Amino acid sequence: MTKYMRFFSLILAVACLLTVALLLGGCNAFARQDEDPYAGLSEDERRIRTVADAALLDKYDLPGWEYFDIIVDYGSNGNIYVDYDFVIGSYYSYEHYKVTLAADETVTYVDGFNAGDYSRYCKAVTPEAVAAAEASMAEQMERYGEKDYSDYYLSVDAQGYLCLTGEVIVTLDGAPDGEGGCGIDHDHVFITARICSAPSEAS
């Protein structure tokens, strides 16, 4: 077995494990909706999340908290920052929300970045679709062998499909001595695989 075949086999094994996790509800996007969204939080964090979550839902129409990686951070100025990153399984997107609370836990700031651009796909995405995209990514990545590549993340293509995307760093031959940079001694190749189209507004 060549090193490339071993690499491809490893990627497929990882994809299979992720598929099992998705089907069993282990990933955020397919978690049980009746689970306590505040499980594992301290009493203070529960109280903060209750206030921040309500403020966010008052401004935005969002899916369940199982679709978000949520972090509570305490600033040196006394402010409390709650950050919400939209994820599907372990894959991050460019959709992000922030709520700021003053020291007395009153809300002073609520904002969203790329609001709804990825969460609108929640009704359409399935574990099987994610697994198929993972398999496609593994197959495409295999042709680059053991090159450096980024973690996969979510993107939306020009036709409006939700995709998995990864970046491969490809070394270029013939670069002048002492010179480097994108397009000189290396290039960035982006690999994508479609997960699903956006659901119709009527669904």
Side-chain angles (χ1 to χ4, degrees), residues 70-105:
I70 305 172
I71 297 176
V72 177
D73 191 25
Y74 300 88
S76 58
N77 57 1
N79 286 344
I80 304 167
Y81 305 99
V82 187
D83 291 300
Y84 302 75
D85 286 310
F86 180 79
V87 297
I88 289 180
S90 59
Y91 303 117
Y92 283 77
S93 72
Y94 291 104
E95 184 172 338
H96 174 80
Y97 302 85
K98 179 181 285 290
V99 177
T100 302
L101 287 69
D104 63 358
E105 298 181 8

Side-chain angles (χ1 to χ4, degrees), residues 21-58:
L22 287 167
L23 292 172
L24 292 177
C27 291
N28 291 349
F30 306 101
R32 288 168 53 88
Q33 294 184 2
D34 58 354
E35 289 179 353
D36 180 3
Y38 304 143
L41 298 182
S42 67
E43 184 178 337
D44 286 346
E45 288 181 328
R46 278 178 173 262
R47 187 177 64 253
I48 290 164
R49 277 284 310 280
T50 299
V51 174
D53 291 358
L56 195 58
L57 290 175
D58 188 53

Side-chain angles (χ1 to χ4, degrees), residues 13-196:
V14 170
C16 288
L17 288 173
L18 287 170
T19 302
V20 171
L22 287 167
L23 292 172
L24 292 177
C27 291
N28 291 349
F30 306 101
R32 288 168 53 88
Q33 294 184 2
D34 58 354
E35 289 179 353
D36 180 3
Y38 304 143
L41 298 182
S42 67
E43 184 178 337
D44 286 346
E45 288 181 328
R46 278 178 173 262
R47 187 177 64 253
I48 290 164
R49 277 284 310 280
T50 299
V51 174
D53 291 358
L56 195 58
L57 290 175
D58 188 53
K59 186 173 181 179
Y60 297 101
D61 182 17
L62 299 176
W65 301 124
E66 68 270 16
Y67 286 93
F68 291 89
D69 182 16
I70 305 172
I71 297 176
V72 177
D73 191 25
Y74 300 88
S76 58
N77 57 1
N79 286 344
I80 304 167
Y81 305 99
V82 187
D83 291 300
Y84 302 75
D85 286 310
F86 180 79
V87 297
I88 289 180
S90 59
Y91 303 117
Y92 283 77
S93 72
Y94 291 104
E95 184 172 338
H96 174 80
Y97 302 85
K98 179 181 285 290
V99 177
T100 302
L101 287 69
D104 63 358
E105 298 181 8
T106 57
V107 175
T108 60
Y109 176 84
V110 180
D111 205 358
F113 307 90
N114 300 309
D117 287 357
Y118 295 85
S119 53
R120 67 193 182 104
Y121 292 89
C122 286
K123 294 178 181 179
V125 70
T126 65
E128 293 81 5
V130 172
E134 289 169 340
S136 175
M137 289 293 288
E139 183 177 356
Q140 293 181 73
M141 286 291 189
E142 190 271 339
R143 74 185 62 167
Y144 293 98
E146 296 180 350
K147 302 288 186 184
D148 291 332
Y149 62 92
S150 70
D151 291 335
Y152 298 163
Y153 57 91
L154 298 174
S155 66
V156 176
D157 68 15
Q159 287 72 45
Y161 284 82
L162 180 68
C163 302
L164 275 185
T165 297
E167 179 183 0
V168 182
I169 306 299
V170 178
T171 301
L172 300 177
D173 296 327
D177 291 341
E179 294 188 23
C182 183
I184 300 174
D185 66 345
H186 71 276
D187 211 347
H188 299 258
V189 178
F190 292 90
I191 308 299
T192 64
R194 288 176 172 177
I195 298 174
C196 64

